[in-house]
């Protein structure tokens, strides 16, 4: 499909798009309802609602360039479905949809929607507009080549960089026009079927290696007063501000007016806060233009800080913990600030992004066995809306089918995340219900050095430890393991996880002090429901003294139902 402007869709194209909206080669298109996907506060958490029902994103993000070619994607879709993903995070580049100014080509977008539907998958589109990993490598050639009209971030010696300046109205408005046209098109082709459920606006923004833009426009904004919208937001939300941000403001006298350096002090961190405001206001404008056409939930993603890195060594101006409040004040059209967590300290970063006012979505993370363990933690302990390892098309998707018969032995073949998603997709209705009531918890053992972790849920405290003797893939199991607990009664839990671990139970409320294990039943998913297998009250669990999670639970698609009792 070539060079169609925003308002001039030929009849045959509309007919094709209508067809895509109803036709499904495999898996049915979701029934058409009027409401687009949206975020909703439900009980203790915020959930993504798709077709009127809460939805857990069991996702994976493609390599940056995979989605630019439908032919390249063709064999990938079924592999992603085989790994039990329900959602694919797929880039859509500005240069792809607007190769000539004002002339739009949505052939790739339409093909991505069709490919997803044929494989019963949803999509999160990643808008690679003005910025991708701080650079502007995905802007169209007509933007790249015209640095007069579309100015760049500059270094202090006045040289341009390969980054559009966030201080340019021309840059902002050109991006917003393209993004709005994309969203209008997504609504046209998908407003009924809701294959596209969320959108990331730009990608890992910020400045490197300087701590801020040094162009004349940036210098003028830096010397000007901190916008009153920001200081009044800070005053109104003072108690709820992220503590590290409030500390910076208070250390400089909690000023309500003044230049950026007067309000926040003279440091590279002030440059970071200043750039955060600038990126956030620009991106808010782009997101608002898109939402005016089709109001899907929208988020921005953050490249996280490595220990001891300074602004400019990390993306200065990104949606990082120090500047979460600035992003919230400047970008009300952005629903979520989302961390790309490649760090070993996965749980710590999750906790930083569930602070008041933000709900968690993890658009990028490590895959492999580590990703599998982290997924159980994120859904159980921090009620993430979704989890999505990066480079999902490089995961080994062969044989990711938990054994149809209980009793299979050996090491799972294929991607560990596929096994994790097999279990999580089967538990999803229960997980979603328990996220709203708070009757859910998880722990993750994050490295060999971490021998145990403890969590309380209901009347019990669970201690999850490394087993003395590892079973299955010992090296993976020793590296990272997790356990997810779903409370299904006062004395009953469903337990699932990844890797090898041993669970013990203790009382956490007054009453009879000693906890015994009444029974442990393995359960398998069969015919659309969990059905009991063996009762494991013998050697398997040290005669009912512990619950053992085994590395081959994933291969077998096994979870456990544990019943407890108390005595003195
Ligand atoms: C983070 C970026 O957001 C992704 O697009 C990709 O470049 C990865 N890094 C590569 O690790």
């Amino acid at each position: 499909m070539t060079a169609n402007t925003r308002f001039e869709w030929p009849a045959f194209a509309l007919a094709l798009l209508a067809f895509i909206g109803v036709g499904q080669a495999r898996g049915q298109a979701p029934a058409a309802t009027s409401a687009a996907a949206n975020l909703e506060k439900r009980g203790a958490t915020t959930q993504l609602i798709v077709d009127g029902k809460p939805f857990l994103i069991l996702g994976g993000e493609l390599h940056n360039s995979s989605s630019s070619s439908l032919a390249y994607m063709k064999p990938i879709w079924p592999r992603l479905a085989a790994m039990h993903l329900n959602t694919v995070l797929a880039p859509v580049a500005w240069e792809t949809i607007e190769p000539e100014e004002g002339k739009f080509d949505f052939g790739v977008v339409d093909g991505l929607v069709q490919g997803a539907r044929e494989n019963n998958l949803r999509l999160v589109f990643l808008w690679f507009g003005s910025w991708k990993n701080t650079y502007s490598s995905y802007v169209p050639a007509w933007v790249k080549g015209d640095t007069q009209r579309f100015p760049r971030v500059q270094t202090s010696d006045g040289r341009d960089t390969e980054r559009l300046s966030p201080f340019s109205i021309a840059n902002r408005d050109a991006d917003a026009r393209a993004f709005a046209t994309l969203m209008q098109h997504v609504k046209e082709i998908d407003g009924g079927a809701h294959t596209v459920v969320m959108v990331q606006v730009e990608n890992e923004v910020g400045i490197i290696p300087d701590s801020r833009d040094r162009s004349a426009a940036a210098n003028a904004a830096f010397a000007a007063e901190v916008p009153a919208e920001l200081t009044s937001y800070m005053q109104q939300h003072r108690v709820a501000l992220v503590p590290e941000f409030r500390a910076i403001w208070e250390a400089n006298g909690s000023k309500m007016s003044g230049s950026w350096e007067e309000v926040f002090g003279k440091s590279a961190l002030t440059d970071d806060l200043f750039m955060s405001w600038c990126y956030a206001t620009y991106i808010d404008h782009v997101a608002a233009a898109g939402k005016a056409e089709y109001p899907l939930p929208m988020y921005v993603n953050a490249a996280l800080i490595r220990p001891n890195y300074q602004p400019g060594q990390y993306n200065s101006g990104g949606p990082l913990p120090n500047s979460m409040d600035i992003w919230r004040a400047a970008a009300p059209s952005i629903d979520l600030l989302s961390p790309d967590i490649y760090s070993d300290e996965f749980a710590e970063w999750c906790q930083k992004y569930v602070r008041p006012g933000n709900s968690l979505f993890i658009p990028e993370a490590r895959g492999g066995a580590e990703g599998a363990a982290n997924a159980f933690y994120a859904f159980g302990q921090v009620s993430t809306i979704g989890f999505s390892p990066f480079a999902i098309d490089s995961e080994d998707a062969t044989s990711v089918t938990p054994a149809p018969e209980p009793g299979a032995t050996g090491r799972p073949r294929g991607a560990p995340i596929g096994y994790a998603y097999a279990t999580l997709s089967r538990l999803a209705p229960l997980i979603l219900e328990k996220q709203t009531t708070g009757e859910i918890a998880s722990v993750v053992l994050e490295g060999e050095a971490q021998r145990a972790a403890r969590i309380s849920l209901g009347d019990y405290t669970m201690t999850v430890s490394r087993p003395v003797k590892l079973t299955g893939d010992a090296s993976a199991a020793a590296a990272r393991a997790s356990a997810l607990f779903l409370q299904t009664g006062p004395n009953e839990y469903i337990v699932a996880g990844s890797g090898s671990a041993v669970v013990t139970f203790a009382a956490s409320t007054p009453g009879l002090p000693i906890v015994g294990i009444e029974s442990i039943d393995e359960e398998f998913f069969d015919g659309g429901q969990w059905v009991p297998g063996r009762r494991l009250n013998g050697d398997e669990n040290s005669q009912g003294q512990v619950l053992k999670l085994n590395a081959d639970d994933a291969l077998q698609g096994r979870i456990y139902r544990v019943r407890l009792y108390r005595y003195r």
Side-chain angles (χ1 to χ4, degrees):
M1 203 173 294
T2 53
N4 293 301
T5 66
R6 172 172 185 183
F7 300 109
E8 292 167 353
W9 278 89
F12 83 86
L14 289 173
L16 172 68
L17 299 172
F19 170 78
I20 292 170
V22 288
Q24 291 292 296
R26 192 164 75 77
Q28 290 300 301
T33 60
S34 54
N38 64 292
L39 295 170
E40 202 175 288
K41 179 100 179 93
R42 293 198 163 191
T45 192
T46 295
Q47 294 185 321
L48 177 66
I49 309 298
V50 179
D51 292 328
K53 291 195 291 255
F55 184 78
L56 278 191
I57 293 183
L58 303 178
E61 181 167 326
L62 298 169
H63 280 289
N64 296 160
S65 304
S66 308
S67 59
S68 66
S69 162
L70 299 179
Y72 187 88
M73 281 303 297
K74 200 166 190 303
I76 291 175
W77 294 114
R79 289 175 41 212
L80 302 178
M83 282 193 284
H84 302 271
L85 269 75
N86 61 19
T87 306
V88 179
L89 278 67
V92 173
W94 184 1
E95 64 178 348
T96 307
I97 65 159
E98 196 183 8
E100 275 183 71
E101 186 169 7
K103 305 234 172 119
F104 288 89
D105 179 346
F106 289 113
V108 168
V109 171
D110 296 344
L112 293 175
V113 171
Q114 187 175 7
R117 286 184 186 161
E118 286 174 356
N119 290 276
N120 218 11
L121 292 160
R122 309 270 179 170
L123 287 169
V124 171
F125 276 150
L126 316 180
W127 173 237
F128 284 7
S130 293
W131 299 290
K132 196 274 166 188
N133 290 44
T134 82
Y135 287 100
S136 300
S137 51
Y138 284 92
V139 304
W142 55 270
V143 174
K144 250 183 213 170
D146 193 347
T147 56
Q148 287 300 311
R149 184 176 160 205
F150 301 111
R152 306 297 187 85
V153 167
Q154 290 185 337
T155 53
S156 48
D157 58 4
R159 275 183 299 123
D160 279 354
T161 66
E162 293 206 56
R163 300 177 176 98
L164 293 186
S165 170
F167 297 93
S168 159
I169 301 290
N171 293 351
R172 186 197 72 180
D173 289 353
D175 185 332
R177 268 193 303 275
F179 184 60
T181 309
L182 170 66
M183 293 308 292
Q184 183 199 46
H185 182 75
V186 172
K187 184 178 181 186
E188 273 170 15
I189 63 165
D190 196 46
H194 310 141
T195 297
V196 184
V197 295
M198 202 151 74
V199 179
Q200 176 184 300
V201 189
E202 317 294 346
N203 188 80
E204 290 196 352
V205 300
I207 300 272
I208 288 178
D210 205 340
S211 51
R212 72 171 178 85
D213 187 350
R214 306 281 169 181
S215 64
N219 290 342
F222 190 64
E225 293 264 307
V226 173
E229 301 99 286
L230 177 56
T231 46
S232 48
Y233 178 97
M234 286 155 57
Q235 192 181 38
Q236 276 163 27
H237 297 84
R238 189 177 195 123
V239 181
L241 293 178
V242 167
E244 49 268 49
F245 176 63
R246 192 175 61 221
I248 298 166
W249 183 37
E250 289 178 350
N252 284 284
S254 307
K255 294 192 188 79
M256 287 298 292
S257 62
S259 70
W260 287 86
E261 289 192 330
E262 284 162 356
V263 174
F264 295 109
K266 204 171 168 50
S267 79
L269 192 51
T270 296
D271 295 353
D272 179 1
L273 301 179
F274 165 70
M275 289 309 299
S276 295
W277 177 264
C278 303
Y279 279 113
T281 47
Y282 183 120
I283 290 172
D284 185 63
H285 187 90
V286 173
K291 280 193 167 179
E293 299 296 338
Y294 187 33
L296 288 183
M298 294 190 186
Y299 70 93
V300 289
N301 64 331
L304 302 181
I305 307 175
R306 293 196 178 88
N308 304 318
Y309 273 36
Q310 298 304 309
Q313 290 175 301
Y314 66 81
N315 297 19
S316 183
L320 287 158
N322 274 327
S323 58
M324 285 172 87
D325 290 298
I326 293 186
W327 275 83
R328 269 193 227 121
S333 300
I334 294 297
D335 300 290
L336 308 168
L337 307 176
S338 300
D340 293 343
I341 313 180
Y342 293 94
S343 157
D344 290 341
E345 287 76 36
F346 181 83
E348 188 184 325
W349 279 108
C350 287
Q351 297 292 349
K352 287 192 166 131
Y353 277 84
V354 289
R355 290 189 280 185
N358 196 48
S359 299
L360 187 64
F361 172 62
I362 304 165
E364 293 183 42
R366 292 180 189 153
E370 187 173 341
N374 288 340
F376 282 96
Y377 174 81
F379 286 111
Q381 188 62 15
V382 278
S383 288
T384 192
I385 287 163
F387 180 78
S388 166
F390 181 72
I392 195 71
D393 35 337
S394 288
E395 296 271 349
D396 174 7
T398 53
S399 309
V400 181
T401 307
E405 300 295 329
T409 54
R411 238 183 101 177
R413 286 182 300 140
I417 193 71
Y419 288 92
Y421 281 178
T423 299
L424 287 165
S425 62
R426 293 159 178 180
L427 286 173
L430 191 59
I431 291 173
L432 285 159
E433 180 201 321
K434 298 299 181 186
Q435 283 184 344
T436 67
T437 61
E439 294 167 299
I440 183 169
S442 298
V443 296
V444 60
L445 301 177
E446 297 210 271
E448 231 166 321
Q450 191 184 356
R451 304 309 300 169
R454 191 169 293 156
I455 192 83
S456 293
L457 181 63
D459 291 339
Y460 297 93
T461 295
M462 283 65 94
T463 301
V464 180
S465 330
R466 303 265 179 209
V468 178
K469 198 169 136 217
L470 294 171
T471 56
D473 182 345
S475 57
R480 194 165 281 249
S482 59
L484 164 73
F485 301 91
L486 294 147
Q487 191 179 357
T488 45
N491 302 305
E492 185 184 282
Y493 298 88
I494 298 280
V495 188
S498 180
S500 298
V502 174
V503 187
T504 55
F505 300 86
S508 63
T509 50
L512 295 172
I514 306 175
V515 175
I517 293 180
E518 181 185 296
S519 59
I520 297 176
D521 293 309
E522 61 180 4
E523 294 195 6
F524 301 93
F525 201 71
D526 193 15
Q529 57 181 340
W530 291 100
V531 293
R534 294 168 297 166
R535 170 149 293 187
L536 300 169
N537 282 1
D539 292 342
E540 305 83 10
N541 288 306
S542 303
Q543 332 311 325
Q545 299 306 293
V546 299
L547 164 68
K548 289 184 192 163
L549 304 177
N550 304 292
D552 68 356
D553 289 343
L555 175 69
Q556 299 197 18
R558 178 206 281 133
I559 62 166
Y560 300 97
R561 186 180 297 270
V562 181
R563 295 190 183 89
L564 306 172
Y565 70 102
R566 289 168 72 159
Y567 63 98
R568 83 169 68 251

